[in-house]
Amino acid sequence: MEALAQRLSHLDSHIEGAIRVVTFYDTLMRRRVDLPALARASAGLAECVAGIRLHGTGRVIRVSPDGGETSAPPLPPSSTVTITLDEEEIGTVWLERPGPANPLDEVLLDRLAIAAAAVVERYGPARTTMADPALVELVISADSDEAARARALRLLGFPADLPVRVAAVHARLPLDRVGGLICPDRLVKAAPLADVGVILATTLDPARFPADVRAGIGAAETPNRSWRQARTALRFTTPRQPVVHFDDLGALALLAEIPQDASRDNTDVTAIAALAAGHPEDLETLDAYCATGSLRRAADLLHLHHSSVARRLEQLGKTLSIELTEPTGLIRARLALTAWRLLDD
């Protein structure tokens, strides 16, 4: 390596400098340094603030050239490179150089990103969000014995003394991004299984799900039961309520146990199905009224005058043969609407 560097140095001083940078980081990786030490060494080499951020935990390390973590307001990054591990973007490294970029900054950051990925892989039990689907299936399957489930959880990086929550999701976004958003500071694992995504975490924040994601969240402390609950909760999601926690369903969860043939044969459910097929705007009115339980609040939701909504509900009541303004009628309509939605599963 040194002989090659000597020969190349006669050709191009930039190549000589690049090789020295590569050698510098190779030495750091052989010494198995941690992320703070990596940031300190990089800041000293670059002679400006160097930063490392991990998306999964939200951890940020900013080190000044003197080796201390800096609390000064960050400058706009002069150069940035993503940290990639197992083809997943897990973080970012950058330099905050106040003047023009150094010709070797790009080489330095490339090597820093590679070294940071190696550190995370070596020391972090949850090096990426995406997990082996086979391991995830072992965790959530009702057919797994407890020893196999515990081993799978351990391989995924979860501690044995904490319950694991499960979410079932339908999302256009990549699962690793969804997992990182809902659980930014703790271990989270995700994997696609058949037609649904699985997210495992010790803590989930329902408020952090992106707007275009449907998610059901299990409540049980055992992953296999939590998975069943999460799948059930996912069936109850709607555009108005895209995230449903199983605990919040209460007795409504029993509707998911009704055989679908029995629901299809029910007069109220049949009437809702006919309404959906022929009059989607009426179905939207009924949905808003069932969701709010109030004519005026439904009107606000639909951006209509309450008298217009009242006329629609009167006609809907006749069509469905349900007195929607009575408490019993409202309950019937809510149950029928929910049972019809479960048929679409």
Side-chain angles (χ1 to χ4, degrees):
M1 183 72 176
E2 289 180 3
L4 175 62
Q6 252 186 342
R7 288 198 300 271
L8 290 176
S9 67
H10 294 295
L11 300 176
D12 193 331
S13 60
H14 177 75
I15 293 177
E16 180 185 6
I19 291 175
R20 290 183 183 276
V21 170
V22 171
T23 304
F24 177 83
Y25 281 99
D26 285 348
T27 301
L28 290 176
M29 292 169 72
R30 283 197 299 272
R31 292 176 179 173
R32 297 177 177 269
V33 298
D34 57 12
L35 288 177
L38 195 57
R40 283 195 300 271
S42 300
L45 180 63
E47 297 183 327
C48 68
V49 172
I52 301 174
R53 185 185 191 282
L54 299 181
H55 298 330
T57 62
R59 183 184 184 187
V60 176
I61 304 171
R62 290 177 63 239
V63 179
S64 61
D66 63 8
E69 290 205 28
T70 178
S71 58
L75 296 172
S78 55
S79 304
T80 305
V81 170
T82 58
I83 306 171
T84 304
L85 184 61
D86 294 343
E87 300 184 356
E88 179 185 337
E89 183 182 321
I90 64 168
T92 308
V93 295
W94 69 91
L95 296 177
E96 299 174 23
R97 191 179 295 285
N102 187 294
L104 292 174
D105 283 356
E106 184 178 351
V107 178
L108 186 152
L109 284 177
D110 282 340
R111 300 305 298 181
L112 172 56
I114 292 170
V119 171
V120 173
E121 185 174 29
R122 182 182 302 124
Y123 295 116
R127 59 184 187 271
T128 61
T129 301
M130 297 305 293
D132 182 349
L135 283 179
V136 172
E137 193 163 11
L138 270 176
V139 169
I140 63 177
S141 174
D143 298 329
S144 298
D145 60 57
E146 291 308 309
R149 196 185 324 278
R151 180 176 180 275
L153 284 169
R154 186 169 64 254
L155 289 173
L156 289 170
F158 289 99
D161 57 341
L162 290 177
V164 175
R165 307 298 182 189
V166 185
V169 301
H170 286 150
R172 293 180 182 177
L173 287 174
L175 279 177
D176 60 295
R177 286 190 58 191
V178 177
L181 286 170
I182 65 171
C183 194
D185 300 319
R186 292 178 182 270
L187 174 61
V188 59
K189 288 290 184 180
L193 288 184
D195 62 334
V196 66
V198 186
I199 294 180
L200 307 176
T202 55
T203 302
L204 292 172
D205 186 352
R208 296 182 66 95
F209 276 101
D212 58 347
V213 171
R214 297 282 190 96
I217 302 174
E221 292 192 356
T222 56
N224 54 320
R225 289 188 58 217
S226 186
W227 170 240
R228 291 199 303 272
Q229 294 175 348
R231 286 298 300 263
T232 297
L234 180 63
R235 296 177 63 193
F236 284 85
T237 60
T238 69
R240 297 190 194 282
Q241 191 176 9
V243 179
V244 173
H245 199 293
F246 182 83
D247 270 353
D248 295 334
L249 290 173
L252 283 175
L254 296 174
L255 290 176
E257 305 299 324
I258 299 174
Q260 294 207 355
D261 287 343
S263 292
R264 287 191 181 95
D265 290 340
N266 182 269
T267 303
D268 288 350
V269 177
T270 301
I272 294 291
L275 191 69
H279 304 280
E281 69 282 355
D282 288 340
L283 182 69
E284 185 180 10
T285 300
L286 181 65
D287 178 43
Y289 180 62
C290 288
T292 61
S294 162
L295 189 152
R296 290 186 178 275
R297 280 186 289 167
D300 290 340
L301 204 59
L302 295 167
H303 305 292
L304 295 171
H305 194 275
H306 65 87
S307 61
S308 299
V309 175
R311 285 193 298 272
R312 287 190 185 185
L313 289 175
E314 183 180 1
Q315 184 59 44
L316 277 169
K318 294 176 182 177
T319 301
L320 299 172
S321 299
I322 299 175
E323 184 53 64
L324 294 173
T325 57
E326 296 294 328
T328 302
L330 180 59
I331 291 173
R332 278 181 61 185
R334 281 174 169 165
L335 290 175
L337 188 59
T338 302
W340 168 76
R341 285 201 180 103
L342 293 178
L343 295 178
D344 288 342
D345 184 58

